[in-house]
Amino acid sequence: MEEIIITIILQALETAISKAIEEGINYIIRKVVDAAGNVVTEIVYQFDSDGGGSIDGEQVIYTLDTLIPSLDNGYCLCNKGNEIGLGFPQFKLVDGSQITDLIDTDIVTGNDNGFIVDLDNDGQNDDVLVPLPDFTGDGLPDWGWLVDDNDDGLPDVSPTSPFYPVGSEGYHEIISRVTVEDYTIMNKPISEYTVTEGILLIFLIVGAFKLVGKAFRRKRVV
């Protein structure tokens, strides 16, 4: 189920950012703390609202929660400079024997893929740890601390990893390998849906209505 959610996120990003690129709209990536105190990454359109020749307006087009990437698939959402895309994240090796000393917080978010904690003691839970094999040879699994040097909330892509920007042929090919139809959410009665599956279905239906509405509006304008 988690893979379905990630795939929907990647498809939504492709739609939003590809539209910006096609229309020549500038976009930036920035990390902010939302009203609930969560660290999120915003994708923001910047534009010249009054035609004066300078950027003086902006619109948030997508908001990403801090993600714990699964490294099983080989690629995850990263950034390279000012671009978002798919690649293998850069990380710092953390010795498994030191991990308890580094995590100086009672608030830890995690799942099977890793944890989100405050490793740099800046008061924000935005540092992502992913499990690794025992590279140090001390008998304990080591950890990878994802690098985010530009502090935009997304891991920096590894310099040795291929990188596929959002909207590129490679990006589209990777996310097209997994579709919602591959999973039972679309192949079982609604009465048997889990809560999460029901929410996803609502999102899909609302999105479909929006697309239809836009199509009809375009016809009336023509």
Side-chain angles (χ1 to χ4, degrees):
M1 197 64 202
E2 180 183 358
E3 192 169 1
I4 299 176
I5 296 172
I6 296 298
T7 301
I8 292 175
I9 290 172
L10 296 180
Q11 290 171 337
L13 271 177
E14 183 180 33
T15 300
I17 294 179
S18 294
K19 181 176 183 293
I21 294 172
E22 289 172 4
E23 298 181 3
I25 301 173
N26 293 318
Y27 75 90
I28 62 171
I29 314 163
R30 68 186 179 199
K31 183 175 72 176
V32 300
V33 178
D34 66 14
N38 300 312
V39 178
V40 299
T41 295
E42 293 181 340
I43 315 300
V44 183
Y45 281 173
Q46 292 189 318
F47 52 87
D48 178 7
S49 64
D50 57 9
S54 60
I55 294 174
D56 55 9
E58 64 177 40
Q59 178 184 1
V60 178
I61 59 165
Y62 205 84
T63 301
L64 279 165
D65 293 329
T66 301
L67 299 176
I68 305 173
S70 170
L71 303 185
D72 294 339
N73 298 324
Y75 295 102
C76 70
L77 201 60
C78 303
N79 75 273
K80 185 176 183 179
N82 295 323
E83 285 188 298
I84 302 178
L86 291 173
F88 195 82
Q90 183 178 353
F91 59 82
K92 302 173 184 175
L93 185 64
V94 178
D95 193 315
S97 64
Q98 301 173 354
I99 196 69
T100 54
D101 295 330
L102 289 173
I103 302 177
D104 185 22
T105 178
D106 295 329
I107 304 174
V108 177
T109 302
N111 57 28
D112 291 342
N113 299 326
F115 299 96
I116 303 173
V117 295
D118 181 12
L119 281 184
D120 55 10
N121 297 312
D122 64 354
Q124 297 178 343
N125 276 23
D126 57 357
D127 300 306
V128 180
L129 284 171
V130 292
L132 298 174
D134 179 17
F135 288 115
T136 56
D138 59 2
L140 295 173
D142 293 319
W143 294 83
W145 180 358
L146 269 57
V147 174
D148 180 18
D149 282 341
N150 63 357
D151 200 34
D152 64 1
L154 292 175
D156 301 338
V157 69
S158 169
T160 59
S161 166
F163 180 72
Y164 304 99
V166 171
S168 68
E169 183 177 346
Y171 181 97
H172 185 264
E173 180 182 347
I174 291 170
I175 66 172
S176 295
R177 295 174 190 166
V178 181
T179 62
V180 175
E181 288 78 7
D182 291 332
Y183 294 85
T184 56
I185 182 174
M186 302 301 287
N187 298 311
K188 66 180 181 182
I190 293 178
S191 60
E192 297 180 10
Y193 279 14
T194 65
V195 174
T196 304
E197 288 172 339
I199 292 172
L200 282 174
L201 180 62
I202 292 171
F203 285 159
L204 291 172
I205 293 172
V206 171
F209 275 114
K210 286 183 178 179
L211 289 175
V212 172
K214 288 181 180 178
F216 277 107
R217 284 198 295 272
R218 291 193 190 101
K219 288 181 180 179
R220 286 200 295 268
V221 172
V222 174

